[in-house]
Amino acid sequence: MTAVQGTDVGIPTEDGTADAYLAHPGDGKAHPAVLFYMDAFGLRPQLRSMADRLAGAGYTVLVPNVFYRHGRAPVVELPEFIDAAARPGLFARLGPLIRELTPEVSTRDAGACLRWLAECPVAADGPVAVTGYCMGARLALFTAGTYPSRVAAAAGFHGGRLATEAPDSPHLVAEHITAEVYFGHADEDPSLPPEQIARLGEALTAAGVRHRCEVYAGAPHGYTQADTAEYDEKAAERHWDALLDLLKRAF
């Protein structure tokens, strides 16, 4: 692990300016870029810590606040530790914000982030990788399918609603993806039941996408997030191994 620099930055978008966190090795050199999509709880110390760890492995990592239309992060006040008792109240406030992130809105914002990274002096030229958590896995899939020439690798962890029967379900972009794809699904996750796991895999296979989809046995939804009661250290470390392996193949 190398020394890391982290800074707050602003991403100009068609709808304003998205606040974001940028982490990168402290050597001043350009490194392969990773667009890191937040979970529903948003940009906070936990995600900054994860971005720092990824940057320490040799990457320039951008974590945008995708709720920026409602203010700078944290858009919703969060407890230091998110337990089961806190979740209903938080999701009552977060639910409307999540529903606003339609495919059109989220891919428009993705384009802004990709343009910003293309001009970023500490991001290497060429394609980027994307990774996403919880709802961010959906955003990663949409980004890979909408900007295939810009995305070399895409990952998602404990994602939900990835392959629904809706006409704008994320799995329907599979035919446009040229990136290598990895998904680490949570076991017995109500937001991604077995039929959706199968539908996603079938769509990626039918489209000829290089991919691997794995179910992490015994891991709950949110298993990567150490500031929540769903954290599972073994599954989280497995996620790091899978993500870093994917990035090594991409760059």
Side-chain angles (χ1 to χ4, degrees):
M1 300 289 284
T2 60
V4 168
Q5 284 187 312
T7 56
D8 293 327
V9 298
I11 311 296
T13 77
E14 295 182 31
D15 299 322
T17 300
D19 53 306
Y21 179 67
L22 181 72
H24 58 91
D27 56 9
K29 299 178 181 179
H31 293 268
V34 180
L35 178 55
F36 182 124
Y37 282 121
M38 63 189 224
D39 64 352
F41 297 127
L43 180 53
R44 61 195 191 280
Q46 165 63 20
L47 295 194
R48 292 171 186 262
S49 175
M50 292 176 70
D52 288 349
R53 178 168 174 173
L54 195 51
Y59 301 97
T60 291
V61 186
L62 180 67
V63 191
N65 166 27
V66 301
F67 295 151
Y68 71 91
R69 293 172 181 84
H70 295 271
R72 296 180 60 85
V75 175
V76 172
E77 185 176 354
L78 300 170
E80 289 189 13
F81 185 77
I82 302 168
D83 58 17
R87 292 176 71 89
L90 290 174
F91 275 104
R93 299 180 64 188
L94 291 168
L97 279 61
I98 296 169
R99 289 190 288 273
E100 286 182 11
L101 292 176
T102 63
E104 179 184 4
V105 169
S106 60
T107 55
R108 190 167 69 231
D109 287 349
C113 290
L114 293 172
R115 288 190 296 273
W116 192 89
L117 284 170
E119 299 297 326
C120 178
V122 293
D125 292 338
V128 309
V130 294
T131 186
Y133 300 83
C134 182
M135 71 168 195
R138 184 178 76 246
L139 303 183
L141 193 54
F142 277 131
T143 301
T146 305
Y147 303 97
S149 66
R150 292 286 288 123
V151 179
F157 299 93
H158 50 81
R161 299 183 58 78
L162 296 175
T164 70
E165 296 181 352
D168 60 355
S169 175
H171 78 289
L172 297 176
V173 305
E175 62 180 321
H176 305 295
I177 293 175
T178 58
E180 182 178 352
V181 172
Y182 178 89
F183 281 98
H185 303 309
D187 192 18
E188 299 181 8
D189 185 346
S191 70
L192 194 75
E195 59 269 22
Q196 287 197 40
I197 292 175
R199 189 179 294 133
L200 174 61
E202 290 164 2
L204 294 170
T205 298
V209 177
R210 293 167 297 155
H211 71 281
R212 187 161 86 252
C213 297
E214 299 181 317
V215 176
Y216 288 21
H221 181 83
Y223 61 78
T224 62
Q225 302 302 308
D227 61 347
T228 76
E230 284 68 40
Y231 180 63
D232 183 309
E233 182 178 8
K234 182 178 179 180
E237 289 305 312
R238 180 179 173 182
H239 130 270
W240 283 115
D241 289 342
L243 178 58
L244 291 173
D245 282 347
L246 176 69
L247 296 179
K248 288 177 183 177
R249 292 192 297 274
F251 300 115

